Amino acid sequence: MNAAIPPLPVVILISGRGSNLQSIIDAVADDALPVEIRAVISNRPAADGLQRAARAGITTAVIDHARYADRAAFDQALQECIERFQPGLVVLAGFMRILTAGFVHHYQGRMLNIHPSLLPEFPGLNTHQRVLECGCKQHGASIHFVTEAVDGGPVVLQARIPVYQQDTVTTLAARVLQQEHRLYPLAIRWFAEQRLKLDDTGNAVLDGERLSDPVILTQESRAPC
Ligand code: GRF
């Protein structure tokens, strides 16, 4: 850990289970992630991830999308809530809302998302089902900077897994999720250590090199430094 860089203030947005949130909480607890999780915000009051955050002593908030007339009003309330915590990075961890352009622009270059597919393949929902239907031999998960295009921003890091003939949505989702839990703490660490950024031309840059392709975390490999 670089003692010269203070922990990065982070706000994490969730909608449900929060297993990716948990992987981030655990990495911070293990001293493997130089961030301070200032708050976890959910758009669903019943999201299980809120309990995970509370158990870890993290401040939680709910901005219930059902209480707002439209996306713009919800996003404005969400942004106001986030701003109270002054994050250097907003982490979407299973946050199941499409965000307005204004919101995305406000956090341009400082908002990451995780998606359960090998982007740019299979943006959107039901990725595991769609991978099985197309007969793909490979599947995986991606971390990307958030831009206006849904699941369309520059991809930073991916993990790939083979798709087996006997796979079901359940088995595939479980194996992808294991990879997700490796990917997110690593990408957040790169950002917190100021190794990862989005440049002025909208490209992801790692250690000063423009990423024309995402870094691939293989199944066997230990996480790279
Ligand atoms: C993950 O598969 C993530 O990639 C997707 O939604 C799911 C959230 O799972 N965006 P969890 O809430 O982190 O357990």
Side-chain angles (χ1 to χ4, degrees):
M1 209 80 69
N2 187 341
I5 301 176
L8 178 77
V10 164
V11 167
I12 302 179
L13 306 188
I14 61 165
S15 296
R17 180 178 52 186
S19 70
N20 278 290
L21 164 67
Q22 189 69 57
S23 74
I24 299 164
I25 291 173
D26 292 347
V28 176
D30 287 349
D31 231 6
L33 195 49
V35 306
E36 177 198 344
I37 306 173
R38 292 227 170 132
V40 170
I41 304 173
S42 172
N43 67 308
R44 293 185 192 278
D48 287 340
L50 289 169
Q51 311 306 321
R52 294 179 190 266
R55 275 199 299 274
I58 298 166
T59 301
T60 61
V62 174
I63 307 291
D64 183 351
H65 65 275
R67 299 170 74 100
Y68 293 86
D70 53 32
R71 271 186 207 288
F74 168 74
D75 281 8
Q76 192 187 332
L78 181 62
Q79 187 173 320
E80 282 168 12
C81 183
I82 293 170
E83 289 306 300
R84 296 210 308 266
F85 301 101
Q86 293 291 296
L89 179 67
V90 174
V91 172
L92 308 185
F95 184 67
M96 305 304 281
R97 295 284 303 172
I98 292 176
L99 297 162
T100 53
F103 183 94
V104 170
H105 280 148
H106 184 77
Y107 294 107
Q108 180 99 1
R110 48 195 184 109
M111 182 155 61
L112 293 173
N113 184 40
I114 188 160
H115 183 76
S117 82
L118 295 173
L119 291 171
E121 289 171 39
F122 303 106
L125 298 174
N126 304 318
T127 58
H128 311 303
Q129 178 71 42
R130 287 156 62 209
V131 162
L132 288 174
E133 280 166 6
C134 93
C136 298
K137 298 279 182 273
Q138 262 202 333
H139 187 29
S142 306
I143 309 287
H144 66 94
F145 279 105
V146 177
T147 62
E148 265 183 70
V150 177
D151 302 324
V155 183
V156 172
L157 182 62
Q158 287 184 328
R160 298 181 178 163
I161 59 160
V163 179
Y164 302 123
Q165 217 162 18
Q166 65 274 24
D167 262 324
T168 62
V169 167
T170 308
T171 60
L172 206 47
R175 292 209 316 288
V176 169
L177 197 63
Q178 280 180 352
Q179 299 304 316
E180 294 187 34
H181 297 163
R182 302 169 70 214
L183 290 179
Y184 228 166
L186 179 59
I188 294 169
R189 177 149 70 88
W190 286 345
F191 189 90
E193 292 175 344
Q194 301 177 11
R195 296 173 55 192
L196 175 66
K197 37 185 68 101
L198 194 69
D199 71 11
D200 294 345
T201 57
N203 288 287
V205 173
L206 180 66
D207 294 332
E209 298 276 330
R210 185 176 286 183
L211 289 176
S212 49
D213 294 301
V215 176
I216 306 295
L217 194 57
T218 59
Q219 266 189 293
E220 303 74 30
S221 71
R222 285 169 47 82
C225 309

Short mmCIF file of all heavy atoms in Angstrom, two decimals, residues 17 116 126-132 139 161 163-164 166-178 180:
data_model
loop_
_atom_site.label_atom_id
_atom_site.label_comp_id
_atom_site.label_asym_id
_atom_site.label_seq_id
_atom_site.Cartn_x
_atom_site.Cartn_y
_atom_site.Cartn_z
N ARG A 17 -28.64 -7.69 -3.79
CA ARG A 17 -27.89 -8.63 -2.95
C ARG A 17 -26.61 -8.06 -2.34
O ARG A 17 -26.27 -8.30 -1.20
CB ARG A 17 -27.57 -9.84 -3.84
CG ARG A 17 -26.82 -10.96 -3.25
CD ARG A 17 -26.67 -12.04 -4.29
NE ARG A 17 -26.10 -11.51 -5.56
CZ ARG A 17 -25.98 -12.22 -6.67
NH1 ARG A 17 -26.37 -13.48 -6.69
NH2 ARG A 17 -25.45 -11.67 -7.75
N PRO A 116 -21.95 -8.34 -16.02
CA PRO A 116 -21.69 -9.78 -16.15
C PRO A 116 -21.68 -10.27 -17.60
O PRO A 116 -22.50 -11.11 -17.97
CB PRO A 116 -22.83 -10.40 -15.34
CG PRO A 116 -23.95 -9.44 -15.48
CD PRO A 116 -23.33 -8.07 -15.59
N ASN A 126 -30.07 -10.09 -18.49
CA ASN A 126 -30.16 -11.54 -18.79
C ASN A 126 -28.97 -12.05 -19.58
O ASN A 126 -29.12 -12.84 -20.52
CB ASN A 126 -31.46 -11.85 -19.55
CG ASN A 126 -32.67 -11.36 -18.79
OD1 ASN A 126 -32.74 -11.53 -17.57
ND2 ASN A 126 -33.61 -10.74 -19.47
N THR A 127 -27.79 -11.62 -19.21
CA THR A 127 -26.61 -11.96 -20.00
C THR A 127 -26.33 -13.47 -20.02
O THR A 127 -25.96 -14.01 -21.05
CB THR A 127 -25.37 -11.23 -19.46
OG1 THR A 127 -25.18 -11.57 -18.10
CG2 THR A 127 -25.51 -9.72 -19.61
N HIS A 128 -26.51 -14.14 -18.87
CA HIS A 128 -26.16 -15.57 -18.81
C HIS A 128 -27.08 -16.37 -19.74
O HIS A 128 -26.62 -17.24 -20.49
CB HIS A 128 -26.25 -16.07 -17.37
CG HIS A 128 -25.54 -15.19 -16.39
ND1 HIS A 128 -24.21 -14.90 -16.51
CD2 HIS A 128 -25.97 -14.53 -15.30
CE1 HIS A 128 -23.85 -14.08 -15.52
NE2 HIS A 128 -24.91 -13.84 -14.79
N GLN A 129 -28.37 -16.06 -19.68
CA GLN A 129 -29.34 -16.71 -20.56
C GLN A 129 -28.98 -16.50 -22.03
O GLN A 129 -28.97 -17.42 -22.84
CB GLN A 129 -30.73 -16.11 -20.27
CG GLN A 129 -31.86 -16.64 -21.13
CD GLN A 129 -32.20 -18.07 -20.75
OE1 GLN A 129 -32.25 -18.40 -19.57
NE2 GLN A 129 -32.38 -18.92 -21.75
N ARG A 130 -28.61 -15.28 -22.35
CA ARG A 130 -28.33 -14.95 -23.76
C ARG A 130 -27.04 -15.63 -24.22
O ARG A 130 -26.94 -16.06 -25.37
CB ARG A 130 -28.27 -13.43 -23.92
CG ARG A 130 -29.67 -12.81 -23.85
CD ARG A 130 -29.65 -11.36 -23.42
NE ARG A 130 -28.93 -10.51 -24.33
CZ ARG A 130 -28.29 -9.38 -23.97
NH1 ARG A 130 -28.28 -9.00 -22.70
NH2 ARG A 130 -27.67 -8.67 -24.86
N VAL A 131 -26.07 -15.73 -23.33
CA VAL A 131 -24.82 -16.43 -23.68
C VAL A 131 -25.11 -17.90 -23.99
O VAL A 131 -24.60 -18.47 -24.96
CB VAL A 131 -23.79 -16.28 -22.54
CG1 VAL A 131 -22.68 -17.31 -22.65
CG2 VAL A 131 -23.20 -14.87 -22.56
N LEU A 132 -25.95 -18.52 -23.15
CA LEU A 132 -26.29 -19.93 -23.38
C LEU A 132 -27.05 -20.09 -24.70
O LEU A 132 -26.78 -21.01 -25.48
CB LEU A 132 -27.14 -20.47 -22.22
CG LEU A 132 -26.39 -20.70 -20.90
CD1 LEU A 132 -27.35 -21.10 -19.80
CD2 LEU A 132 -25.29 -21.75 -21.07
N HIS A 139 -17.49 -16.79 -21.60
CA HIS A 139 -18.32 -15.79 -20.95
C HIS A 139 -17.42 -15.10 -19.93
O HIS A 139 -16.23 -15.44 -19.81
CB HIS A 139 -19.51 -16.51 -20.33
CG HIS A 139 -20.57 -15.62 -19.76
ND1 HIS A 139 -20.85 -14.36 -20.22
CD2 HIS A 139 -21.47 -15.84 -18.74
CE1 HIS A 139 -21.86 -13.85 -19.52
NE2 HIS A 139 -22.24 -14.73 -18.62
N ILE A 161 -14.36 -16.94 -18.52
CA ILE A 161 -14.53 -18.33 -18.08
C ILE A 161 -15.07 -19.14 -19.25
O ILE A 161 -15.76 -18.60 -20.12
CB ILE A 161 -15.50 -18.45 -16.88
CG1 ILE A 161 -16.88 -17.90 -17.24
CG2 ILE A 161 -14.95 -17.77 -15.64
CD1 ILE A 161 -17.97 -18.40 -16.33
N VAL A 163 -17.59 -21.74 -21.10
CA VAL A 163 -18.99 -22.16 -20.94
C VAL A 163 -19.04 -23.65 -21.23
O VAL A 163 -18.59 -24.08 -22.29
CB VAL A 163 -19.92 -21.40 -21.92
CG1 VAL A 163 -21.37 -21.87 -21.75
CG2 VAL A 163 -19.81 -19.90 -21.70
N TYR A 164 -19.53 -24.44 -20.29
CA TYR A 164 -19.60 -25.89 -20.47
C TYR A 164 -20.96 -26.29 -21.01
O TYR A 164 -21.96 -25.59 -20.79
CB TYR A 164 -19.34 -26.61 -19.14
CG TYR A 164 -17.99 -26.26 -18.53
CD1 TYR A 164 -17.90 -25.73 -17.25
CD2 TYR A 164 -16.82 -26.47 -19.25
CE1 TYR A 164 -16.66 -25.41 -16.70
CE2 TYR A 164 -15.58 -26.15 -18.71
CZ TYR A 164 -15.51 -25.62 -17.43
OH TYR A 164 -14.29 -25.30 -16.89
N GLN A 166 -22.96 -28.52 -20.09
CA GLN A 166 -23.99 -28.78 -19.08
C GLN A 166 -24.37 -27.53 -18.29
O GLN A 166 -25.18 -27.60 -17.36
CB GLN A 166 -23.53 -29.90 -18.13
CG GLN A 166 -22.32 -29.58 -17.28
CD GLN A 166 -20.98 -29.87 -17.97
OE1 GLN A 166 -20.90 -29.89 -19.19
NE2 GLN A 166 -19.94 -30.07 -17.18
N ASP A 167 -23.77 -26.38 -18.63
CA ASP A 167 -24.06 -25.16 -17.86
C ASP A 167 -25.53 -24.76 -17.94
O ASP A 167 -26.18 -24.91 -18.98
CB ASP A 167 -23.19 -23.99 -18.37
CG ASP A 167 -21.96 -23.77 -17.51
OD1 ASP A 167 -22.05 -23.96 -16.28
OD2 ASP A 167 -20.91 -23.43 -18.09
N THR A 168 -26.02 -24.22 -16.83
CA THR A 168 -27.34 -23.59 -16.78
C THR A 168 -27.12 -22.13 -16.41
O THR A 168 -25.99 -21.74 -16.05
CB THR A 168 -28.21 -24.24 -15.69
OG1 THR A 168 -27.55 -24.01 -14.42
CG2 THR A 168 -28.37 -25.74 -15.91
N VAL A 169 -28.19 -21.35 -16.45
CA VAL A 169 -28.06 -19.95 -16.04
C VAL A 169 -27.48 -19.88 -14.62
O VAL A 169 -26.62 -19.06 -14.33
CB VAL A 169 -29.43 -19.24 -16.10
CG1 VAL A 169 -29.39 -17.90 -15.40
CG2 VAL A 169 -29.86 -19.06 -17.56
N THR A 170 -27.94 -20.78 -13.76
CA THR A 170 -27.50 -20.75 -12.35
C THR A 170 -26.01 -21.05 -12.21
O THR A 170 -25.28 -20.34 -11.51
CB THR A 170 -28.31 -21.77 -11.52
OG1 THR A 170 -29.68 -21.52 -11.77
CG2 THR A 170 -28.02 -21.65 -10.05
N THR A 171 -25.54 -22.10 -12.89
CA THR A 171 -24.12 -22.47 -12.73
C THR A 171 -23.22 -21.41 -13.36
O THR A 171 -22.18 -21.05 -12.81
CB THR A 171 -23.81 -23.84 -13.37
OG1 THR A 171 -24.12 -23.79 -14.78
CG2 THR A 171 -24.62 -24.95 -12.71
N LEU A 172 -23.68 -20.90 -14.50
CA LEU A 172 -22.88 -19.89 -15.19
C LEU A 172 -22.82 -18.60 -14.36
O LEU A 172 -21.74 -18.01 -14.18
CB LEU A 172 -23.54 -19.61 -16.55
CG LEU A 172 -22.68 -19.11 -17.69
CD1 LEU A 172 -21.40 -19.89 -17.84
CD2 LEU A 172 -23.50 -19.12 -18.98
N ALA A 173 -23.96 -18.19 -13.85
CA ALA A 173 -24.01 -16.95 -13.04
C ALA A 173 -23.09 -17.09 -11.82
O ALA A 173 -22.39 -16.14 -11.47
CB ALA A 173 -25.44 -16.68 -12.59
N ALA A 174 -23.08 -18.27 -11.21
CA ALA A 174 -22.26 -18.46 -10.01
C ALA A 174 -20.78 -18.35 -10.35
O ALA A 174 -20.01 -17.72 -9.61
CB ALA A 174 -22.56 -19.81 -9.39
N ARG A 175 -20.37 -18.95 -11.48
CA ARG A 175 -18.95 -18.88 -11.83
C ARG A 175 -18.53 -17.48 -12.26
O ARG A 175 -17.43 -17.03 -11.96
CB ARG A 175 -18.60 -19.92 -12.90
CG ARG A 175 -18.70 -21.36 -12.40
CD ARG A 175 -17.76 -22.31 -13.10
NE ARG A 175 -17.70 -22.17 -14.53
CZ ARG A 175 -18.65 -22.53 -15.38
NH1 ARG A 175 -19.78 -23.06 -14.94
NH2 ARG A 175 -18.50 -22.36 -16.68
N VAL A 176 -19.42 -16.78 -12.95
CA VAL A 176 -19.11 -15.39 -13.33
C VAL A 176 -19.00 -14.53 -12.07
O VAL A 176 -18.08 -13.71 -11.95
CB VAL A 176 -20.17 -14.82 -14.30
CG1 VAL A 176 -20.00 -13.32 -14.48
CG2 VAL A 176 -20.09 -15.52 -15.65
N LEU A 177 -19.90 -14.75 -11.14
CA LEU A 177 -19.89 -13.93 -9.92
C LEU A 177 -18.58 -14.09 -9.14
O LEU A 177 -18.04 -13.10 -8.62
CB LEU A 177 -21.09 -14.30 -9.04
CG LEU A 177 -21.45 -13.28 -7.95
CD1 LEU A 177 -21.86 -11.93 -8.56
CD2 LEU A 177 -22.57 -13.81 -7.08
N GLN A 178 -18.06 -15.33 -9.10
CA GLN A 178 -16.76 -15.53 -8.43
C GLN A 178 -15.70 -14.63 -9.05
O GLN A 178 -14.86 -14.07 -8.35
CB GLN A 178 -16.29 -16.97 -8.63
CG GLN A 178 -16.92 -17.97 -7.71
CD GLN A 178 -16.38 -19.37 -8.00
OE1 GLN A 178 -15.66 -19.59 -8.98
NE2 GLN A 178 -16.74 -20.31 -7.15
N GLU A 180 -16.29 -11.82 -10.72
CA GLU A 180 -16.62 -10.43 -10.42
C GLU A 180 -15.98 -10.00 -9.11
O GLU A 180 -15.47 -8.89 -8.97
CB GLU A 180 -18.14 -10.24 -10.34
CG GLU A 180 -18.86 -10.44 -11.65
CD GLU A 180 -20.33 -10.08 -11.57
OE1 GLU A 180 -20.69 -9.14 -10.83
OE2 GLU A 180 -21.15 -10.74 -12.24
#
